[in-house]
Amino acid sequence: QAKDAGRNRVRFFSPAMQTAIDSRMAMEAALRQALLQGEFQLFYQPQFDQNGRRIGAEGLLRWRQPGRGLILPMEFIPLAEETGLILPIGQWVIDTACDQLKAWEDQAHTRFLQLAVNVSARQFHQPDFAARIRASLKRSGANPERLKLELTESVVLENAEAAINQMHQIKALGVSFSLDDFGTGYSSLSYLKRLPLSQLKIDRTFLRDIGTDPNDAAIVRAILAMSRSLGLEVIAEGVETEAQRRFLHESGCHAYQGYFFGKPNPIEDWDTASRS
Ligand code: C2E
Ligand code: MG
Ligand code: MG
Ligand code: MG
């Protein structure tokens, strides 16, 4: 009935628009509730080296809303970003990742694993973001060298000077950076050189048609050649087939992530899934 009340009050909007606003507000309220109720969960997708050894994981956010099941990030991250809720949510992701790293470090067979997490623009550009990372590392006792932050080109480009400065502060803690979805943005080579990155992550759209589109194959090879000359590691995301893995391997890409190797899963499945 709240819906009806809203409809009568706000006369400027058509019923369809009002419904959209109502559902947006309902979703925002639900997101706030999700933080309080602990409905977020980090899934872990394994990353492998050329010898088939597990080298780490990417943490991927999931929302387990009672009665709705598992909700993927594309359905709630945009609204979380608009409303600013991405700040506490992103903080939860960092804290959870650091705790997981510490748990891995405490076990001999997982202590070498790296964990990458995605950071959104608003989160990254907080003036105290570096201090927050430092505090989370300290609280958890996780080794900063095992933590990787994934940024997209647009996050960095939004305010390049501030971003580079921010990255240097965080790098000084021992944390490393990966440039996510690489190849879909606008980075020029000279610009890329100024970012304190350790890794490029080849966007999965380039792998999709690699067998049939010679341009995509050429782009992947160019990214690999460029990374070599800049001294950057490369990981391919979205590797779904053995043919894609072989192409990447033969082109000199030595780290992989994708359904071919393992899907994102809750941590409970980590030790049984795609064990090498
Ligand atoms: P991303 O960082 O580029 O993550 C890779 C996405 O590709 C993930 O989607 C993953 O599940 C999916 N993926 C992995 N392997 C394959 C494959 O072989 N084939 C295909 N088709 N897809 C594959 P997901 O988990 O739905 O996440 C989507 C995006 O949401 C992420 O893209 C990232 O930008 C964002 N995201 C996820 N978690 C977080 C988070 O904790 N914070 C923020 N700010 N953004 C997040
Ligand atoms: Mg990512
Ligand atoms: Mg990506
Ligand atoms: Mg992507």
Side-chain angles (χ1 to χ4, degrees), residues 203-212 216 220 224 236-253 255-261:
D203 192 71
R204 70 162 184 271
T205 53
F206 298 114
L207 296 185
R208 211 171 37 207
D209 307 320
I210 228 164
T212 51
D216 281 347
V220 170
L224 289 164
E237 72 171 13
V239 184
E240 293 184 351
T241 66
E242 163 60 19
Q244 290 170 339
R245 188 209 61 80
R246 192 176 332 109
F247 170 85
L248 288 162
H249 180 77
E250 286 165 359
S251 306
C253 180
Y256 321 98
Q257 179 183 339
Y259 296 167
F260 179 71
F261 292 93

PDB file of all heavy atoms in Angstrom, residues 203-212 216 220 224 236-253 255-261:
ATOM      1  N   ASP A 203      40.412  -8.723 -21.268  1.00  0.00           N
ATOM      2  CA  ASP A 203      38.958  -8.854 -21.195  1.00  0.00           C
ATOM      3  C   ASP A 203      38.479 -10.071 -21.972  1.00  0.00           C
ATOM      4  O   ASP A 203      39.011 -10.414 -23.019  1.00  0.00           O
ATOM      5  CB  ASP A 203      38.278  -7.607 -21.743  1.00  0.00           C
ATOM      6  CG  ASP A 203      36.799  -7.610 -21.413  1.00  0.00           C
ATOM      7  OD1 ASP A 203      36.473  -7.432 -20.229  1.00  0.00           O
ATOM      8  OD2 ASP A 203      35.977  -7.834 -22.319  1.00  0.00           O
ATOM      9  N   ARG A 204      37.438 -10.683 -21.433  1.00  0.00           N
ATOM     10  CA  ARG A 204      37.012 -11.946 -22.036  1.00  0.00           C
ATOM     11  C   ARG A 204      36.365 -11.781 -23.411  1.00  0.00           C
ATOM     12  O   ARG A 204      36.277 -12.750 -24.164  1.00  0.00           O
ATOM     13  CB  ARG A 204      36.080 -12.698 -21.098  1.00  0.00           C
ATOM     14  CG  ARG A 204      34.726 -12.121 -20.903  1.00  0.00           C
ATOM     15  CD  ARG A 204      33.815 -13.200 -20.319  1.00  0.00           C
ATOM     16  NE  ARG A 204      32.461 -12.716 -20.187  1.00  0.00           N
ATOM     17  CZ  ARG A 204      32.016 -12.096 -19.097  1.00  0.00           C
ATOM     18  NH1 ARG A 204      32.800 -11.903 -18.071  1.00  0.00           N
ATOM     19  NH2 ARG A 204      30.778 -11.676 -19.052  1.00  0.00           N
ATOM     20  N   THR A 205      35.966 -10.571 -23.757  1.00  0.00           N
ATOM     21  CA  THR A 205      35.362 -10.391 -25.080  1.00  0.00           C
ATOM     22  C   THR A 205      36.371 -10.694 -26.200  1.00  0.00           C
ATOM     23  O   THR A 205      35.973 -11.061 -27.300  1.00  0.00           O
ATOM     24  CB  THR A 205      34.833  -8.954 -25.270  1.00  0.00           C
ATOM     25  OG1 THR A 205      35.890  -8.032 -24.968  1.00  0.00           O
ATOM     26  CG2 THR A 205      33.664  -8.680 -24.359  1.00  0.00           C
ATOM     27  N   PHE A 206      37.666 -10.545 -25.915  1.00  0.00           N
ATOM     28  CA  PHE A 206      38.669 -10.829 -26.948  1.00  0.00           C
ATOM     29  C   PHE A 206      38.889 -12.326 -27.131  1.00  0.00           C
ATOM     30  O   PHE A 206      39.394 -12.761 -28.151  1.00  0.00           O
ATOM     31  CB  PHE A 206      39.993 -10.146 -26.611  1.00  0.00           C
ATOM     32  CG  PHE A 206      39.876  -8.659 -26.558  1.00  0.00           C
ATOM     33  CD1 PHE A 206      40.060  -7.983 -25.371  1.00  0.00           C
ATOM     34  CD2 PHE A 206      39.533  -7.935 -27.696  1.00  0.00           C
ATOM     35  CE1 PHE A 206      39.923  -6.606 -25.315  1.00  0.00           C
ATOM     36  CE2 PHE A 206      39.391  -6.566 -27.649  1.00  0.00           C
ATOM     37  CZ  PHE A 206      39.585  -5.900 -26.457  1.00  0.00           C
ATOM     38  N   LEU A 207      38.554 -13.099 -26.115  1.00  0.00           N
ATOM     39  CA  LEU A 207      38.781 -14.545 -26.196  1.00  0.00           C
ATOM     40  C   LEU A 207      37.628 -15.265 -26.864  1.00  0.00           C
ATOM     41  O   LEU A 207      37.800 -16.317 -27.466  1.00  0.00           O
ATOM     42  CB  LEU A 207      38.953 -15.133 -24.794  1.00  0.00           C
ATOM     43  CG  LEU A 207      40.168 -14.653 -24.031  1.00  0.00           C
ATOM     44  CD1 LEU A 207      40.268 -15.399 -22.724  1.00  0.00           C
ATOM     45  CD2 LEU A 207      41.422 -14.874 -24.864  1.00  0.00           C
ATOM     46  N   ARG A 208      36.467 -14.666 -26.743  1.00  0.00           N
ATOM     47  CA  ARG A 208      35.238 -15.329 -27.166  1.00  0.00           C
ATOM     48  C   ARG A 208      35.341 -15.863 -28.592  1.00  0.00           C
ATOM     49  O   ARG A 208      35.058 -17.022 -28.847  1.00  0.00           O
ATOM     50  CB  ARG A 208      34.064 -14.350 -27.029  1.00  0.00           C
ATOM     51  CG  ARG A 208      32.755 -14.992 -26.719  1.00  0.00           C
ATOM     52  CD  ARG A 208      31.735 -13.929 -26.402  1.00  0.00           C
ATOM     53  NE  ARG A 208      31.918 -12.742 -27.245  1.00  0.00           N
ATOM     54  CZ  ARG A 208      31.561 -11.515 -26.899  1.00  0.00           C
ATOM     55  NH1 ARG A 208      30.986 -11.300 -25.741  1.00  0.00           N
ATOM     56  NH2 ARG A 208      31.761 -10.507 -27.714  1.00  0.00           N
ATOM     57  N   ASP A 209      35.780 -15.026 -29.518  1.00  0.00           N
ATOM     58  CA  ASP A 209      35.766 -15.417 -30.930  1.00  0.00           C
ATOM     59  C   ASP A 209      37.164 -15.656 -31.489  1.00  0.00           C
ATOM     60  O   ASP A 209      37.397 -15.529 -32.693  1.00  0.00           O
ATOM     61  CB  ASP A 209      35.064 -14.333 -31.758  1.00  0.00           C
ATOM     62  CG  ASP A 209      33.697 -14.001 -31.192  1.00  0.00           C
ATOM     63  OD1 ASP A 209      32.991 -14.934 -30.776  1.00  0.00           O
ATOM     64  OD2 ASP A 209      33.349 -12.810 -31.145  1.00  0.00           O
ATOM     65  N   ILE A 210      38.050 -15.985 -30.588  1.00  0.00           N
ATOM     66  CA  ILE A 210      39.449 -16.075 -30.978  1.00  0.00           C
ATOM     67  C   ILE A 210      39.690 -17.088 -32.095  1.00  0.00           C
ATOM     68  O   ILE A 210      40.562 -16.908 -32.952  1.00  0.00           O
ATOM     69  CB  ILE A 210      40.295 -16.393 -29.724  1.00  0.00           C
ATOM     70  CG1 ILE A 210      41.474 -15.456 -29.687  1.00  0.00           C
ATOM     71  CG2 ILE A 210      40.708 -17.831 -29.646  1.00  0.00           C
ATOM     72  CD1 ILE A 210      42.113 -15.424 -28.343  1.00  0.00           C
ATOM     73  N   GLY A 211      38.885 -18.139 -32.113  1.00  0.00           N
ATOM     74  CA  GLY A 211      39.053 -19.171 -33.134  1.00  0.00           C
ATOM     75  C   GLY A 211      38.606 -18.713 -34.511  1.00  0.00           C
ATOM     76  O   GLY A 211      39.075 -19.208 -35.531  1.00  0.00           O
ATOM     77  N   THR A 212      37.690 -17.736 -34.553  1.00  0.00           N
ATOM     78  CA  THR A 212      37.092 -17.362 -35.832  1.00  0.00           C
ATOM     79  C   THR A 212      37.424 -15.933 -36.261  1.00  0.00           C
ATOM     80  O   THR A 212      37.356 -15.606 -37.436  1.00  0.00           O
ATOM     81  CB  THR A 212      35.548 -17.477 -35.751  1.00  0.00           C
ATOM     82  OG1 THR A 212      35.104 -16.771 -34.588  1.00  0.00           O
ATOM     83  CG2 THR A 212      35.112 -18.931 -35.639  1.00  0.00           C
ATOM     84  N   ASP A 216      40.653 -10.481 -33.228  1.00  0.00           N
ATOM     85  CA  ASP A 216      40.733 -10.721 -31.786  1.00  0.00           C
ATOM     86  C   ASP A 216      42.039 -11.418 -31.429  1.00  0.00           C
ATOM     87  O   ASP A 216      42.685 -11.074 -30.431  1.00  0.00           O
ATOM     88  CB  ASP A 216      39.536 -11.556 -31.313  1.00  0.00           C
ATOM     89  CG  ASP A 216      38.284 -10.703 -31.172  1.00  0.00           C
ATOM     90  OD1 ASP A 216      38.419  -9.467 -31.203  1.00  0.00           O
ATOM     91  OD2 ASP A 216      37.192 -11.270 -31.038  1.00  0.00           O
ATOM     92  N   VAL A 220      44.904  -9.903 -28.866  1.00  0.00           N
ATOM     93  CA  VAL A 220      45.453 -10.624 -27.711  1.00  0.00           C
ATOM     94  C   VAL A 220      46.978 -10.705 -27.812  1.00  0.00           C
ATOM     95  O   VAL A 220      47.694 -10.451 -26.841  1.00  0.00           O
ATOM     96  CB  VAL A 220      44.834 -12.029 -27.581  1.00  0.00           C
ATOM     97  CG1 VAL A 220      45.577 -12.855 -26.532  1.00  0.00           C
ATOM     98  CG2 VAL A 220      43.354 -11.917 -27.212  1.00  0.00           C
ATOM     99  N   LEU A 224      49.772  -9.028 -25.268  1.00  0.00           N
ATOM    100  CA  LEU A 224      50.839  -9.823 -24.650  1.00  0.00           C
ATOM    101  C   LEU A 224      52.213  -9.234 -24.954  1.00  0.00           C
ATOM    102  O   LEU A 224      53.066  -9.133 -24.066  1.00  0.00           O
ATOM    103  CB  LEU A 224      50.755 -11.281 -25.114  1.00  0.00           C
ATOM    104  CG  LEU A 224      49.551 -12.044 -24.543  1.00  0.00           C
ATOM    105  CD1 LEU A 224      49.292 -13.331 -25.310  1.00  0.00           C
ATOM    106  CD2 LEU A 224      49.767 -12.337 -23.066  1.00  0.00           C
ATOM    107  N   ALA A 236      44.436 -13.926 -18.419  1.00  0.00           N
ATOM    108  CA  ALA A 236      43.266 -13.902 -19.301  1.00  0.00           C
ATOM    109  C   ALA A 236      42.036 -14.264 -18.494  1.00  0.00           C
ATOM    110  O   ALA A 236      42.060 -15.226 -17.718  1.00  0.00           O
ATOM    111  CB  ALA A 236      43.454 -14.888 -20.445  1.00  0.00           C
ATOM    112  N   GLU A 237      40.967 -13.494 -18.642  1.00  0.00           N
ATOM    113  CA  GLU A 237      39.710 -13.833 -17.963  1.00  0.00           C
ATOM    114  C   GLU A 237      38.739 -14.439 -18.965  1.00  0.00           C
ATOM    115  O   GLU A 237      38.851 -14.215 -20.176  1.00  0.00           O
ATOM    116  CB  GLU A 237      39.095 -12.605 -17.280  1.00  0.00           C
ATOM    117  CG  GLU A 237      38.512 -11.588 -18.237  1.00  0.00           C
ATOM    118  CD  GLU A 237      37.719 -10.468 -17.548  1.00  0.00           C
ATOM    119  OE1 GLU A 237      37.796 -10.297 -16.330  1.00  0.00           O
ATOM    120  OE2 GLU A 237      37.024  -9.756 -18.277  1.00  0.00           O
ATOM    121  N   GLY A 238      37.823 -15.248 -18.473  1.00  0.00           N
ATOM    122  CA  GLY A 238      36.803 -15.818 -19.346  1.00  0.00           C
ATOM    123  C   GLY A 238      37.303 -16.919 -20.263  1.00  0.00           C
ATOM    124  O   GLY A 238      36.786 -17.087 -21.369  1.00  0.00           O
ATOM    125  N   VAL A 239      38.298 -17.670 -19.806  1.00  0.00           N
ATOM    126  CA  VAL A 239      38.770 -18.813 -20.597  1.00  0.00           C
ATOM    127  C   VAL A 239      37.760 -19.949 -20.434  1.00  0.00           C
ATOM    128  O   VAL A 239      37.567 -20.451 -19.327  1.00  0.00           O
ATOM    129  CB  VAL A 239      40.171 -19.275 -20.137  1.00  0.00           C
ATOM    130  CG1 VAL A 239      40.681 -20.399 -21.037  1.00  0.00           C
ATOM    131  CG2 VAL A 239      41.139 -18.098 -20.111  1.00  0.00           C
ATOM    132  N   GLU A 240      37.111 -20.293 -21.534  1.00  0.00           N
ATOM    133  CA  GLU A 240      36.026 -21.285 -21.455  1.00  0.00           C
ATOM    134  C   GLU A 240      36.362 -22.609 -22.129  1.00  0.00           C
ATOM    135  O   GLU A 240      35.692 -23.606 -21.887  1.00  0.00           O
ATOM    136  CB  GLU A 240      34.746 -20.709 -22.083  1.00  0.00           C
ATOM    137  CG  GLU A 240      34.174 -19.549 -21.286  1.00  0.00           C
ATOM    138  CD  GLU A 240      32.849 -19.038 -21.852  1.00  0.00           C
ATOM    139  OE1 GLU A 240      32.461 -19.464 -22.951  1.00  0.00           O
ATOM    140  OE2 GLU A 240      32.221 -18.196 -21.168  1.00  0.00           O
ATOM    141  N   THR A 241      37.352 -22.604 -23.014  1.00  0.00           N
ATOM    142  CA  THR A 241      37.623 -23.834 -23.760  1.00  0.00           C
ATOM    143  C   THR A 241      39.118 -24.167 -23.771  1.00  0.00           C
ATOM    144  O   THR A 241      39.968 -23.303 -23.569  1.00  0.00           O
ATOM    145  CB  THR A 241      37.186 -23.699 -25.239  1.00  0.00           C
ATOM    146  OG1 THR A 241      38.023 -22.712 -25.877  1.00  0.00           O
ATOM    147  CG2 THR A 241      35.727 -23.299 -25.358  1.00  0.00           C
ATOM    148  N   GLU A 242      39.381 -25.426 -24.050  1.00  0.00           N
ATOM    149  CA  GLU A 242      40.764 -25.878 -24.177  1.00  0.00           C
ATOM    150  C   GLU A 242      41.444 -25.167 -25.346  1.00  0.00           C
ATOM    151  O   GLU A 242      42.625 -24.808 -25.274  1.00  0.00           O
ATOM    152  CB  GLU A 242      40.783 -27.402 -24.355  1.00  0.00           C
ATOM    153  CG  GLU A 242      42.076 -28.005 -24.885  1.00  0.00           C
ATOM    154  CD  GLU A 242      43.305 -27.746 -23.998  1.00  0.00           C
ATOM    155  OE1 GLU A 242      43.132 -27.421 -22.805  1.00  0.00           O
ATOM    156  OE2 GLU A 242      44.429 -27.842 -24.519  1.00  0.00           O
ATOM    157  N   ALA A 243      40.695 -24.915 -26.429  1.00  0.00           N
ATOM    158  CA  ALA A 243      41.280 -24.221 -27.583  1.00  0.00           C
ATOM    159  C   ALA A 243      41.742 -22.816 -27.194  1.00  0.00           C
ATOM    160  O   ALA A 243      42.818 -22.369 -27.611  1.00  0.00           O
ATOM    161  CB  ALA A 243      40.264 -24.161 -28.720  1.00  0.00           C
ATOM    162  N   GLN A 244      40.946 -22.129 -26.398  1.00  0.00           N
ATOM    163  CA  GLN A 244      41.339 -20.784 -25.935  1.00  0.00           C
ATOM    164  C   GLN A 244      42.580 -20.872 -25.051  1.00  0.00           C
ATOM    165  O   GLN A 244      43.508 -20.081 -25.181  1.00  0.00           O
ATOM    166  CB  GLN A 244      40.193 -20.121 -25.157  1.00  0.00           C
ATOM    167  CG  GLN A 244      39.020 -19.725 -26.033  1.00  0.00           C
ATOM    168  CD  GLN A 244      37.813 -19.307 -25.200  1.00  0.00           C
ATOM    169  OE1 GLN A 244      37.696 -19.662 -24.020  1.00  0.00           O
ATOM    170  NE2 GLN A 244      36.901 -18.568 -25.812  1.00  0.00           N
ATOM    171  N   ARG A 245      42.593 -21.847 -24.145  1.00  0.00           N
ATOM    172  CA  ARG A 245      43.756 -22.006 -23.269  1.00  0.00           C
ATOM    173  C   ARG A 245      45.011 -22.263 -24.089  1.00  0.00           C
ATOM    174  O   ARG A 245      46.064 -21.688 -23.851  1.00  0.00           O
ATOM    175  CB  ARG A 245      43.552 -23.159 -22.278  1.00  0.00           C
ATOM    176  CG  ARG A 245      44.647 -23.235 -21.212  1.00  0.00           C
ATOM    177  CD  ARG A 245      44.876 -24.636 -20.697  1.00  0.00           C
ATOM    178  NE  ARG A 245      45.306 -25.552 -21.746  1.00  0.00           N
ATOM    179  CZ  ARG A 245      46.538 -25.656 -22.214  1.00  0.00           C
ATOM    180  NH1 ARG A 245      47.493 -24.896 -21.719  1.00  0.00           N
ATOM    181  NH2 ARG A 245      46.819 -26.504 -23.188  1.00  0.00           N
ATOM    182  N   ARG A 246      44.887 -23.131 -25.110  1.00  0.00           N
ATOM    183  CA  ARG A 246      46.055 -23.472 -25.927  1.00  0.00           C
ATOM    184  C   ARG A 246      46.539 -22.248 -26.698  1.00  0.00           C
ATOM    185  O   ARG A 246      47.733 -21.967 -26.751  1.00  0.00           O
ATOM    186  CB  ARG A 246      45.739 -24.628 -26.881  1.00  0.00           C
ATOM    187  CG  ARG A 246      47.018 -25.180 -27.512  1.00  0.00           C
ATOM    188  CD  ARG A 246      46.809 -26.407 -28.409  1.00  0.00           C
ATOM    189  NE  ARG A 246      45.670 -27.210 -28.045  1.00  0.00           N
ATOM    190  CZ  ARG A 246      44.556 -27.288 -28.757  1.00  0.00           C
ATOM    191  NH1 ARG A 246      44.411 -26.581 -29.862  1.00  0.00           N
ATOM    192  NH2 ARG A 246      43.566 -28.069 -28.360  1.00  0.00           N
ATOM    193  N   PHE A 247      45.599 -21.513 -27.292  1.00  0.00           N
ATOM    194  CA  PHE A 247      45.989 -20.299 -28.015  1.00  0.00           C
ATOM    195  C   PHE A 247      46.750 -19.345 -27.093  1.00  0.00           C
ATOM    196  O   PHE A 247      47.798 -18.808 -27.461  1.00  0.00           O
ATOM    197  CB  PHE A 247      44.755 -19.586 -28.595  1.00  0.00           C
ATOM    198  CG  PHE A 247      45.079 -18.217 -29.137  1.00  0.00           C
ATOM    199  CD1 PHE A 247      45.550 -18.065 -30.434  1.00  0.00           C
ATOM    200  CD2 PHE A 247      44.958 -17.089 -28.336  1.00  0.00           C
ATOM    201  CE1 PHE A 247      45.882 -16.808 -30.929  1.00  0.00           C
ATOM    202  CE2 PHE A 247      45.292 -15.832 -28.821  1.00  0.00           C
ATOM    203  CZ  PHE A 247      45.758 -15.685 -30.118  1.00  0.00           C
ATOM    204  N   LEU A 248      46.216 -19.131 -25.906  1.00  0.00           N
ATOM    205  CA  LEU A 248      46.853 -18.210 -24.954  1.00  0.00           C
ATOM    206  C   LEU A 248      48.240 -18.699 -24.575  1.00  0.00           C
ATOM    207  O   LEU A 248      49.211 -17.938 -24.570  1.00  0.00           O
ATOM    208  CB  LEU A 248      45.987 -18.077 -23.692  1.00  0.00           C
ATOM    209  CG  LEU A 248      44.693 -17.287 -23.871  1.00  0.00           C
ATOM    210  CD1 LEU A 248      43.715 -17.573 -22.742  1.00  0.00           C
ATOM    211  CD2 LEU A 248      44.994 -15.786 -23.960  1.00  0.00           C
ATOM    212  N   HIS A 249      48.319 -19.976 -24.292  1.00  0.00           N
ATOM    213  CA  HIS A 249      49.602 -20.568 -23.902  1.00  0.00           C
ATOM    214  C   HIS A 249      50.636 -20.380 -25.009  1.00  0.00           C
ATOM    215  O   HIS A 249      51.760 -19.942 -24.764  1.00  0.00           O
ATOM    216  CB  HIS A 249      49.406 -22.052 -23.585  1.00  0.00           C
ATOM    217  CG  HIS A 249      50.670 -22.738 -23.174  1.00  0.00           C
ATOM    218  ND1 HIS A 249      51.200 -22.591 -21.922  1.00  0.00           N
ATOM    219  CD2 HIS A 249      51.510 -23.539 -23.862  1.00  0.00           C
ATOM    220  CE1 HIS A 249      52.323 -23.281 -21.845  1.00  0.00           C
ATOM    221  NE2 HIS A 249      52.545 -23.871 -23.014  1.00  0.00           N
ATOM    222  N   GLU A 250      50.204 -20.692 -26.226  1.00  0.00           N
ATOM    223  CA  GLU A 250      51.136 -20.584 -27.353  1.00  0.00           C
ATOM    224  C   GLU A 250      51.504 -19.132 -27.653  1.00  0.00           C
ATOM    225  O   GLU A 250      52.559 -18.854 -28.217  1.00  0.00           O
ATOM    226  CB  GLU A 250      50.535 -21.266 -28.596  1.00  0.00           C
ATOM    227  CG  GLU A 250      50.590 -22.793 -28.475  1.00  0.00           C
ATOM    228  CD  GLU A 250      49.706 -23.509 -29.495  1.00  0.00           C
ATOM    229  OE1 GLU A 250      49.022 -22.813 -30.290  1.00  0.00           O
ATOM    230  OE2 GLU A 250      49.689 -24.753 -29.479  1.00  0.00           O
ATOM    231  N   SER A 251      50.632 -18.196 -27.258  1.00  0.00           N
ATOM    232  CA  SER A 251      50.923 -16.784 -27.486  1.00  0.00           C
ATOM    233  C   SER A 251      51.716 -16.164 -26.337  1.00  0.00           C
ATOM    234  O   SER A 251      52.016 -14.974 -26.367  1.00  0.00           O
ATOM    235  CB  SER A 251      49.619 -16.001 -27.669  1.00  0.00           C
ATOM    236  OG  SER A 251      48.827 -16.581 -28.678  1.00  0.00           O
ATOM    237  N   GLY A 252      51.991 -16.960 -25.309  1.00  0.00           N
ATOM    238  CA  GLY A 252      52.832 -16.467 -24.221  1.00  0.00           C
ATOM    239  C   GLY A 252      52.079 -15.931 -23.014  1.00  0.00           C
ATOM    240  O   GLY A 252      52.650 -15.210 -22.202  1.00  0.00           O
ATOM    241  N   CYS A 253      50.792 -16.262 -22.900  1.00  0.00           N
ATOM    242  CA  CYS A 253      50.030 -15.885 -21.706  1.00  0.00           C
ATOM    243  C   CYS A 253      50.079 -17.044 -20.719  1.00  0.00           C
ATOM    244  O   CYS A 253      49.746 -18.180 -21.080  1.00  0.00           O
ATOM    245  CB  CYS A 253      48.578 -15.572 -22.066  1.00  0.00           C
ATOM    246  SG  CYS A 253      47.576 -15.091 -20.651  1.00  0.00           S
ATOM    247  N   ALA A 255      48.816 -17.093 -17.350  1.00  0.00           N
ATOM    248  CA  ALA A 255      47.880 -17.162 -16.217  1.00  0.00           C
ATOM    249  C   ALA A 255      46.453 -17.085 -16.757  1.00  0.00           C
ATOM    250  O   ALA A 255      46.173 -16.314 -17.690  1.00  0.00           O
ATOM    251  CB  ALA A 255      48.155 -16.035 -15.231  1.00  0.00           C
ATOM    252  N   TYR A 256      45.589 -17.891 -16.178  1.00  0.00           N
ATOM    253  CA  TYR A 256      44.244 -18.061 -16.737  1.00  0.00           C
ATOM    254  C   TYR A 256      43.185 -18.101 -15.654  1.00  0.00           C
ATOM    255  O   TYR A 256      43.414 -18.613 -14.560  1.00  0.00           O
ATOM    256  CB  TYR A 256      44.158 -19.377 -17.522  1.00  0.00           C
ATOM    257  CG  TYR A 256      45.385 -19.703 -18.318  1.00  0.00           C
ATOM    258  CD1 TYR A 256      46.339 -20.581 -17.813  1.00  0.00           C
ATOM    259  CD2 TYR A 256      45.604 -19.126 -19.565  1.00  0.00           C
ATOM    260  CE1 TYR A 256      47.480 -20.889 -18.537  1.00  0.00           C
ATOM    261  CE2 TYR A 256      46.743 -19.425 -20.300  1.00  0.00           C
ATOM    262  CZ  TYR A 256      47.684 -20.306 -19.781  1.00  0.00           C
ATOM    263  OH  TYR A 256      48.813 -20.600 -20.485  1.00  0.00           O
ATOM    264  N   GLN A 257      42.012 -17.610 -16.052  1.00  0.00           N
ATOM    265  CA  GLN A 257      40.836 -17.656 -15.183  1.00  0.00           C
ATOM    266  C   GLN A 257      39.628 -17.838 -16.084  1.00  0.00           C
ATOM    267  O   GLN A 257      39.534 -17.192 -17.126  1.00  0.00           O
ATOM    268  CB  GLN A 257      40.736 -16.333 -14.407  1.00  0.00           C
ATOM    269  CG  GLN A 257      39.546 -16.208 -13.478  1.00  0.00           C
ATOM    270  CD  GLN A 257      39.472 -14.836 -12.809  1.00  0.00           C
ATOM    271  OE1 GLN A 257      40.457 -14.112 -12.722  1.00  0.00           O
ATOM    272  NE2 GLN A 257      38.283 -14.474 -12.357  1.00  0.00           N
ATOM    273  N   GLY A 258      38.727 -18.710 -15.727  1.00  0.00           N
ATOM    274  CA  GLY A 258      37.529 -18.880 -16.541  1.00  0.00           C
ATOM    275  C   GLY A 258      36.838 -20.198 -16.254  1.00  0.00           C
ATOM    276  O   GLY A 258      37.358 -21.042 -15.517  1.00  0.00           O
ATOM    277  N   TYR A 259      35.653 -20.345 -16.834  1.00  0.00           N
ATOM    278  CA  TYR A 259      34.839 -21.532 -16.560  1.00  0.00           C
ATOM    279  C   TYR A 259      35.555 -22.828 -16.923  1.00  0.00           C
ATOM    280  O   TYR A 259      35.282 -23.868 -16.340  1.00  0.00           O
ATOM    281  CB  TYR A 259      33.508 -21.449 -17.324  1.00  0.00           C
ATOM    282  CG  TYR A 259      32.605 -20.306 -16.893  1.00  0.00           C
ATOM    283  CD1 TYR A 259      31.496 -19.952 -17.666  1.00  0.00           C
ATOM    284  CD2 TYR A 259      32.841 -19.608 -15.716  1.00  0.00           C
ATOM    285  CE1 TYR A 259      30.661 -18.918 -17.282  1.00  0.00           C
ATOM    286  CE2 TYR A 259      32.007 -18.571 -15.325  1.00  0.00           C
ATOM    287  CZ  TYR A 259      30.923 -18.225 -16.114  1.00  0.00           C
ATOM    288  OH  TYR A 259      30.093 -17.205 -15.736  1.00  0.00           O
ATOM    289  N   PHE A 260      36.464 -22.775 -17.920  1.00  0.00           N
ATOM    290  CA  PHE A 260      37.209 -23.971 -18.285  1.00  0.00           C
ATOM    291  C   PHE A 260      37.984 -24.514 -17.081  1.00  0.00           C
ATOM    292  O   PHE A 260      38.149 -25.716 -16.911  1.00  0.00           O
ATOM    293  CB  PHE A 260      38.178 -23.680 -19.441  1.00  0.00           C
ATOM    294  CG  PHE A 260      39.010 -24.863 -19.859  1.00  0.00           C
ATOM    295  CD1 PHE A 260      38.440 -25.945 -20.520  1.00  0.00           C
ATOM    296  CD2 PHE A 260      40.374 -24.893 -19.577  1.00  0.00           C
ATOM    297  CE1 PHE A 260      39.209 -27.036 -20.896  1.00  0.00           C
ATOM    298  CE2 PHE A 260      41.153 -25.981 -19.956  1.00  0.00           C
ATOM    299  CZ  PHE A 260      40.575 -27.061 -20.617  1.00  0.00           C
ATOM    300  N   PHE A 261      38.434 -23.609 -16.235  1.00  0.00           N
ATOM    301  CA  PHE A 261      39.233 -24.003 -15.071  1.00  0.00           C
ATOM    302  C   PHE A 261      38.392 -24.120 -13.807  1.00  0.00           C
ATOM    303  O   PHE A 261      38.705 -24.904 -12.916  1.00  0.00           O
ATOM    304  CB  PHE A 261      40.347 -22.977 -14.826  1.00  0.00           C
ATOM    305  CG  PHE A 261      41.398 -22.982 -15.892  1.00  0.00           C
ATOM    306  CD1 PHE A 261      41.306 -22.119 -16.984  1.00  0.00           C
ATOM    307  CD2 PHE A 261      42.467 -23.850 -15.819  1.00  0.00           C
ATOM    308  CE1 PHE A 261      42.274 -22.124 -17.969  1.00  0.00           C
ATOM    309  CE2 PHE A 261      43.438 -23.866 -16.804  1.00  0.00           C
ATOM    310  CZ  PHE A 261      43.336 -23.003 -17.883  1.00  0.00           C
TER     311      PHE A 261
END
